[in-house]
Amino acid sequence: MKVIATNKKARFDYEILDTYEAGIVLRGPEVKSVKAGQISIKEAFATVRGEEVFLTNAHISPYKQASNIEQEPTRSRKLLLKKSEISSLVGKAKTQGLTLIPTKVYLKRGFVKVEIGLGKGKKKYDKREQLKKKDVKREIARDLREKTKEG
């Protein structure tokens, strides 16, 4: 499994409760562009329309060698999930007020896959608390390194 893109901001802004693996419907030049790492999912989110799930606002740069094909970088792309997964996503998203966020894009046996996280938005004080914990861990690690150098 080769990870192509990750959404670090998703884990900071949302508390990810559950994850799903989904295939994504891409055109030929888009596949080559994604495999080259030309994808950004920082502003992306997933929406449910009827019985289908779509990845919206993911930016895939146009593939330069395929100049004859019209390519729209931020178009909505269909995600391939099982019907049971879609129905559970719809139920949880509507009843609990959760959001669908792409957390990473990767290759699995040559296919482009997207990991979708079912997330609950964090409050500002939760984010501050997380940053404080991160700083404390960094300070402890720094102190341990300095003590091992001295001793």
Side-chain angles (χ1 to χ4, degrees):
M1 185 171 89
K2 178 185 172 192
V3 176
I4 298 170
T6 57
N7 189 354
K8 293 177 185 176
K9 198 76 169 157
R11 298 220 184 258
F12 181 72
D13 289 338
Y14 297 93
E15 179 184 340
I16 305 297
L17 305 173
D18 202 5
T19 58
Y20 297 89
E21 179 182 72
I24 183 168
V25 177
L26 297 172
R27 295 182 183 140
E30 289 177 333
V31 174
K32 290 193 172 216
S33 191
V34 167
K35 286 184 177 182
Q38 300 295 314
I39 183 170
S40 172
I41 55 172
K42 288 180 183 173
E43 298 89 29
F45 57 94
T47 55
V48 180
R49 294 185 214 149
E51 295 288 315
E52 299 176 333
V53 180
F54 289 89
L55 182 65
T56 308
N57 221 17
H59 188 279
I60 297 177
S61 299
Y63 191 60
K64 291 180 177 63
Q65 283 78 6
S67 60
N68 60 343
I69 299 171
E70 185 78 24
Q71 299 174 47
E72 188 180 335
T74 57
R75 72 178 179 86
S76 293
R77 294 164 180 91
K78 185 177 176 181
L79 294 177
L80 306 172
L81 290 161
K82 295 178 183 174
K83 283 189 178 185
S84 60
E85 291 177 331
I86 293 173
S87 62
S88 72
L89 282 175
V90 170
K92 288 178 183 176
K94 285 187 179 178
T95 58
Q96 299 173 4
L98 302 175
T99 311
L100 297 171
I101 310 110
T103 55
K104 65 179 159 183
V105 177
Y106 55 93
L107 288 176
K108 186 175 183 181
R109 289 185 274 141
F111 294 103
V112 178
K113 301 286 185 178
V114 179
E115 184 181 83
I116 299 292
L118 195 61
K120 183 179 182 181
K122 285 185 182 176
K123 303 288 184 213
K124 199 170 192 175
Y125 57 84
D126 290 336
K127 293 179 192 177
R128 285 189 195 130
E129 197 172 299
Q130 187 178 359
L131 287 173
K132 286 179 187 176
K133 287 179 183 177
K134 189 177 174 183
D135 287 341
V136 168
K137 283 183 180 179
R138 190 179 301 129
E139 286 291 327
I140 291 170
R142 187 180 301 135
D143 289 343
L144 287 173
R145 275 196 309 266
E146 288 176 5
K147 287 183 180 180
T148 57
K149 285 181 182 178
E150 292 173 3

